[in-house]
């Protein structure tokens, strides 16, 4: 008796319905191309995790006791983009951080009275500013000044830190989104 061989498992995670809107990072490329492509992939992943959530649920603290929400994360990530690329790398301190002050350092997560769509637009504009700053830098070895130490910090180190920040917060967004409406995927 002959039987048909069982096809090998595909080992693929379920995909978001809009996942094709993300640009898959290349399999080969120089260091700068790969770092920026993966950072953009994580940025797009975060945007997908916020897409389609009813407005009244975006500020929901869906994973108690955590104080995180999708709305808070979008505000936080806008500040992270500005802090690392615009302020520390490019040295441009002409605009105050929108969702942070020394007197109220947690306002990005705790003060969610603003409109999510406006805050998302702020994040998207800040991402564009960050992309421009990174693209205009002569190399990954170019440096800015880390505010906490006064020491030089390279664009390479900043991009790696941004990747870690987005990866961490995309994990948070995964849990929040699943608790909000059951949507899962990558």
């Amino acid at each position: 008796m002959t039987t048909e061989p069982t096809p090998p498992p595909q080992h693929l995670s379920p995909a978001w319905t809009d996942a094709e809107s993300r640009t898959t990072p290349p399999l080969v490329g120089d260091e700068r191309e790969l770092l920026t492509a993966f950072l953009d992939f994580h940025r797009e992943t975060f945007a997908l995790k916020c897409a389609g959530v009813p407005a009244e649920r975006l500020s929901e603290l869906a994973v108690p006791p955590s104080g995180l929400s999708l709305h808070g994360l979008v505000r936080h990530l806008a500040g992270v983009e500005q802090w690392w690329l615009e302020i520390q790398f490019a040295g441009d301190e002409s605009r105050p951080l929108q969702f942070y002050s020394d007197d109220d350092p947690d306002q990005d997560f705790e003060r969610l009275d603003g409109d999510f769509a406006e805050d998302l637009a702020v994040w998207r504009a800040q991402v564009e500013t960050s992309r421009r700053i990174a693209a205009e830098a002569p190399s990954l070895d170019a440096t800015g000044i880390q505010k906490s130490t006064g020491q030089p910090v390279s664009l390479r180190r900043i991009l790696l830190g941004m990747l870690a920040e987005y990866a961490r917060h995309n994990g948070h967004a995964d849990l929040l989104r699943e608790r909000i409406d059951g949507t899962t995927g990558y």
Side-chain angles (χ1 to χ4, degrees):
M1 162 159 83
T2 56
T3 59
E4 292 294 316
T6 304
Q10 294 298 311
H11 302 294
L12 298 175
S13 299
W16 290 74
T17 56
D18 292 346
E20 62 273 1
S21 68
R22 289 181 301 183
T23 302
T24 302
L27 296 176
V28 295
D30 65 29
E31 184 181 15
R32 185 181 198 140
E33 180 182 6
L34 291 171
L35 284 172
T36 57
F38 269 92
L39 182 53
D40 278 340
F41 181 83
H42 276 285
R43 288 168 170 151
E44 292 169 26
T45 297
F46 178 73
L48 278 173
K49 293 181 187 305
C50 295
V53 175
E56 67 274 7
R57 301 206 65 194
L58 288 160
S59 298
E60 187 175 314
L61 306 180
V63 185
S66 170
L68 296 179
S69 67
L70 292 172
H71 192 172
L73 285 172
V74 80
R75 286 174 159 216
H76 175 72
L77 290 170
V80 166
E81 293 274 355
Q82 183 183 1
W83 176 249
W84 280 103
L85 285 148
E86 189 172 342
I87 295 173
Q88 294 194 106
F89 183 72
D92 182 355
E93 296 185 56
S94 62
R95 295 181 312 117
L97 287 164
Q98 187 154 354
F99 307 113
Y100 173 88
S101 71
D102 289 339
D103 294 333
D104 191 3
D106 295 323
Q107 65 182 275
D108 48 358
F109 292 114
E110 293 176 356
R111 288 201 196 165
L112 301 175
D113 51 348
D115 180 74
F116 177 81
E118 290 175 15
D119 293 344
L120 184 66
V122 166
W123 171 73
R124 287 187 189 283
Q126 193 61 54
V127 165
E128 287 307 313
T129 298
S130 294
R131 284 182 180 131
R132 178 187 49 76
I133 290 168
E136 291 174 356
S139 77
L140 292 174
D141 295 322
T143 60
I145 301 297
Q146 186 179 35
K147 295 294 179 190
S148 63
T149 65
Q151 298 295 310
V153 59
S154 71
L155 178 60
R156 177 182 291 105
R157 169 57 177 84
I158 288 171
L159 293 176
L160 287 167
M162 294 288 292
L163 278 165
E165 186 85 10
Y166 272 93
R168 178 174 45 258
H169 291 314
N170 278 337
H172 296 138
D174 276 336
L175 294 172
L176 290 164
R177 182 65 188 262
E178 185 173 7
R179 293 286 297 164
I180 289 169
D181 67 5
T183 302
T184 60
Y186 62 91

